[in-house]
Amino acid sequence: VGNKVRVTGQLIDTRTDQHLWAKAFDRDLADVFAIQAELAQEITAALSAAISPQEKDQLAKRPAVSMVTVNPAAYERYVQARATTNEEEKETILAEVVALDPNFTQAWADLAGRRAFLYQGPKFHTPEWLAKTKAALDTTARLDPGGPSALRAQGVYHLFADHDFERAAEFFQRAQLLQPNSEETLEHLGYVYRRLGRWPESLIALRQAAKLNPNYWDTNRHLAGLLAGRPFLSVLAGDD
């Protein structure tokens, strides 16, 4: 309301649906990034939780741009891009999104990833398309230097564009340190570990991703493929 914002934090035990903790925080919307850092500190203090040094650095760093957009048209198209499973259509929509909001970091990261993925196919396997992929990747790195979205985009590039799976794993591991509960990063890690023959690590990453987002079809597809191809892992997989 006006320049006032209320954020309510809640902690729910999803195993029992038990409500454990809740608190409302009222703040002036003068600096959204200051609010983010302040509320994270207050909530973790209330929960007696610890913030890692990497998380403290992320909270202290005021980004030049937001990971989200305040442009309604850009946001609407971004949601549509995330919803479609057609990779060419996704890339087209994301290109429209960054044209609407050139500072939408996550959209740039997703665009770099989709272009890297499409580069594998004969239709897009051209020097011109690779240059477009690198341009989106460079923009993401400029907008979010050392941030999880830029690191994840670098990992996707090495995964699909040059098939350097060791380098891809390095970038995904660094991104996971900053966002331990990113099912997207874990899903990519599981896939890369599988390509590297690191079967138990792949299983652990994919199971974590599936727990965080049980309805994400790609994670379940990779998990099923891993278990089908390596039956001995079923001993570790339990009820999967």
Side-chain angles (χ1 to χ4, degrees):
V1 178
N3 69 332
K4 297 284 187 180
V5 62
R6 170 172 293 174
V7 178
T8 301
Q10 297 185 60
L11 179 65
I12 307 293
D13 186 336
T14 56
R15 296 167 299 181
T16 62
D17 204 31
Q18 182 183 1
H19 186 278
L20 302 178
W21 172 88
K23 185 176 179 181
F25 301 87
D26 294 323
R27 294 292 185 275
D28 291 326
L29 193 59
D31 188 334
V32 67
F33 300 112
I35 291 174
Q36 172 181 288
E38 183 182 354
L39 293 188
Q41 296 283 355
E42 285 203 35
I43 291 171
T44 51
L47 297 176
S48 300
I51 300 180
S52 70
Q54 294 93 341
E55 290 166 335
K56 287 181 180 179
D57 289 343
Q58 282 295 109
L59 290 171
K61 183 181 72 172
R62 178 194 177 110
V65 295
S66 176
M67 294 300 295
V68 295
T69 181
V70 295
N71 183 317
Y75 179 74
E76 182 177 4
R77 291 297 279 160
Y78 180 73
V79 171
Q80 292 170 351
R82 296 282 289 186
T84 182
T85 57
N86 183 301
E87 295 296 337
E88 290 189 40
E89 181 182 7
K90 190 186 293 285
E91 189 277 335
T92 299
I93 298 174
L94 287 169
E96 294 176 17
V97 172
V98 297
L100 290 166
D101 184 354
N103 292 327
F104 192 171
T105 311
Q106 190 57 57
W108 276 111
D110 290 355
L111 179 61
R114 289 314 88 204
R115 286 178 175 172
F117 179 82
L118 290 171
Y119 180 70
Q120 300 175 103
K123 179 179 177 181
F124 297 95
H125 199 78
T126 65
E128 293 77 17
W129 189 262
L130 184 61
K132 289 179 64 174
T133 303
K134 290 181 176 179
L137 193 65
D138 290 344
T139 301
T140 307
R142 175 176 58 81
L143 294 174
D144 187 30
S149 64
L151 292 171
R152 192 161 44 242
Q154 286 277 1
V156 173
Y157 174 83
H158 289 298
L159 172 59
F160 293 124
D162 62 12
H163 299 138
D164 188 338
F165 303 126
E166 292 284 359
R167 287 283 286 159
E170 290 176 13
F171 280 105
F172 291 139
Q173 287 164 352
R174 289 168 59 189
Q176 191 197 11
L177 288 176
L178 298 176
Q179 288 184 331
N181 290 327
S182 167
E183 73 272 12
E184 185 177 1
T185 303
L186 286 164
E187 185 263 328
H188 280 126
L189 263 177
Y191 180 69
V192 170
Y193 286 152
R194 181 183 173 191
R195 296 298 296 267
L196 290 170
R198 295 161 63 173
W199 317 116
E201 291 170 280
S202 177
L203 176 63
I204 290 170
L206 290 172
R207 290 188 76 191
Q208 283 182 282
K211 287 179 180 178
L212 289 165
N213 189 354
N215 295 322
Y216 187 40
W217 73 274
D218 217 20
T219 298
N220 287 292
R221 178 172 66 89
H222 288 313
L223 184 56
L226 176 67
L227 294 173
R230 300 286 161 177
F232 70 88
L233 287 175
S234 61
V235 176
L236 302 175
D239 296 330
D240 285 327

